[in-house]
Each structure stands twice: as structure tokens, then as C-alpha cells.
Amino acid sequence: MDGSSDEMDVGRERVEAVERAIALLQCFEEPGEALTLSVLSQRSGLYKSTILRLAGSLLHTGFMDKGADGRYLLGPELRRLGELSRSKFTLEALIRPVLRHLTTITQETASFYVRDGDERVCLYRENSPRSARHHLEEGTRHPLDHGAAGVLLTWYGMTADSERAVELRETGSIVSKGGRDEDLAAVAVPIVNRHGELIGSLSVSGLISRFSDERINSARKLLKESAEALKPRLPRLDEINLRRSDG
């Protein structure tokens, strides 16, 4: 359950009371949902006494509302603020640090692809610091049926018995060796938001001679960890601008 300290965690610049209030608002999962105090406690992990204190402030500021039956609802202030933030969310600030981390650890090129019709577009990338590397340019397009990222974007969510669909379901990733270029190998994982929507594909790629089974497994683990870290931070697909900021 929740702690009792409301002090700021100076090192991480966090205030527990604020985070608990946000956690309370995040308990609502459906439009127009009205929740009892018990359900709020169950979903948030907070004591009912804590919820009552937080709800008092949230009701006063319009972030929550309370029906005649005593159930809690999201308040009108959230709708007002939502209207102010209607501009599309840009992924760049979230994705670029992840790519830099992947490249630093693997020393290979890391990239993020999105689907555009029958093609995949390299939205962001961090090229390997090695002299012999897979060099990518942002904005380049490739067919979906070649390379780990393209195959993943094609087969994600499919229940077919295709070898690639099975691989994706069983391992949560796609490995390609010589799929688009005979000298290149890549590992790709899906980037999905908490609503289960596929946003794009995160991949690590490089010379096929360096992609041993051990390094493939290591890259897969890093990629999946990165995908899990991104998942709760990603909004719904229709709220995202899937174009680079310069174009």
C-alpha cells in the first residue's frame, strides 16, 4: 500500500502526493466510467483514507467529479486541458534516447520504423559508431516484405501459421539475416502502447558476421526491455504524429 511521506524526492524531482493524485486519475479506463471508493482503492493500491484526502483536492479543482450515488468520475477540468493539448504527440523525445542507449550497448545501428501503406519508413535512427556498419538515413523507405522491421510490421497480430507470424508470437521479435541485404542482419521488436495498438518497430541492425546467436539473444533482450519501458508512456495511435519534426 501507499507510504505516508509527502516529501519531495530531491534526487528525482518527484512529489509523492502529486504522483498518488495522478495514479488516482489513471484508475479510470473507460469514457464516462464512474468508480466507487472500493474500486479506486483496488486499482490504485491506495488506502481509502488517502483516496478521500486526494479526492477532496481533485473535486475542489475540477479534476474529479462525484455523482449523486457517491461514485467518482473524471472532472471537467481534464476536458478543458485536453482541448488545449489536441496537437499531435511527437515520438522523437521518447524514441531518440532509447536508440542512443541501444547503440551504446550494442555498438550497432538502432532504428525505429513505422508502417506507411506497403512500405516502412525509418522515422528515427542512431547509426553505429563502428567504421564497418549498417548506415541508415532517416526518412528512407523500404518494402514491408524484407528485413526484420518490415516483416514484423506485416505480421504483428496475425494468427496465421506463417513461419514469421509464429516466430513473432513465440519470441516477441523477428530476426532477419540477409533479408534485405545479404551482408546485413537485424533483430526487431514491436512497440505497442498500453492499449495494445502497434505504433512501430524498434530494431538493431549490423553486419551479418557480427550477429551470432549470443549477440542476437542479447539484442533481443535489450530491445524487449526498451519496448516495455516505452509502453506506458505512449498515447493512443490516433494521438501520435508519425512524421519527423522536420517533415
Side-chain angles (χ1 to χ4, degrees):
M1 287 293 194
D2 57 303
S4 58
S5 174
D6 287 347
E7 295 299 317
M8 175 182 285
D9 183 334
V10 178
R12 291 180 292 175
E13 296 184 348
R14 295 171 56 181
V15 179
E16 289 185 25
V18 174
E19 291 190 358
R20 290 202 295 269
I22 292 172
L24 202 57
L25 295 173
Q26 290 176 329
C27 289
F28 295 88
E29 300 172 352
E30 301 292 338
E33 189 173 34
L35 303 179
T36 64
L37 182 61
S38 294
V39 173
L40 284 172
S41 179
Q42 180 182 6
R43 291 186 181 179
S44 67
L46 299 173
Y47 291 118
K48 291 181 181 179
S49 57
T50 300
I51 292 173
L52 289 172
R53 291 198 304 272
L54 294 171
S57 294
L58 293 170
L59 288 165
H60 176 71
T61 53
F63 285 89
M64 285 182 69
D65 208 345
K66 193 173 183 180
D69 59 358
R71 294 172 182 259
Y72 293 91
L73 306 93
L74 293 177
E77 181 63 12
L78 287 170
R79 288 191 291 272
R80 186 186 74 83
L81 293 176
E83 288 298 316
L84 296 178
S85 62
R86 288 178 64 88
S87 59
K88 292 278 188 175
F89 181 90
T90 300
L91 293 171
E92 184 169 8
L94 288 181
I95 300 296
R96 287 204 187 279
V98 173
L99 297 179
R100 286 193 291 269
H101 173 71
L102 289 169
T103 295
T104 298
I105 299 299
T106 67
Q107 293 292 288
E108 302 292 357
T109 295
S111 52
F112 176 75
Y113 286 92
V114 295
R115 182 170 182 169
D116 186 10
D118 294 329
E119 297 179 309
R120 58 184 167 106
V121 181
C122 179
L123 202 61
Y124 307 115
R125 65 91 181 91
E126 184 75 17
N127 279 321
S128 166
R130 296 172 183 256
S131 56
R133 64 184 183 184
H134 178 204
H135 182 85
L136 276 174
E137 294 294 342
E138 294 180 0
T140 55
R141 293 173 173 267
H142 303 290
L144 285 174
D145 57 352
H146 291 88
V151 172
L152 186 150
L153 292 171
T154 299
W155 288 103
Y156 181 81
M158 295 289 188
T159 58
D161 292 329
S162 159
E163 179 183 349
R164 290 310 211 181
V166 172
E167 177 186 0
L168 186 52
R169 289 198 301 272
E170 292 184 349
T171 71
S173 66
I174 290 288
V175 176
S176 171
K177 289 187 175 182
R180 187 176 68 82
D181 185 304
E182 62 181 11
D183 295 322
L184 299 177
V187 184
V189 300
I191 296 301
V192 181
N193 62 21
R194 62 189 179 92
H195 306 289
E197 297 173 313
L198 178 66
I199 307 300
S201 174
L202 193 64
S203 70
V204 168
S205 58
L207 300 186
I208 197 169
S209 59
R210 294 201 291 256
F211 274 62
S212 63
D213 289 345
E214 181 180 357
R215 296 201 67 189
I216 287 172
N217 289 332
S218 176
R220 180 188 287 122
K221 182 176 183 292
L222 281 168
L223 286 164
K224 292 173 78 169
E225 289 172 351
S226 298
E228 280 301 310
L230 284 169
K231 186 174 183 178
R233 305 177 66 190
L234 294 167
R236 289 188 178 275
L237 185 59
D238 61 6
E239 298 173 355
I240 301 175
N241 177 14
L242 293 178
R243 293 180 180 274
R244 292 183 299 126
S245 58
D246 60 355

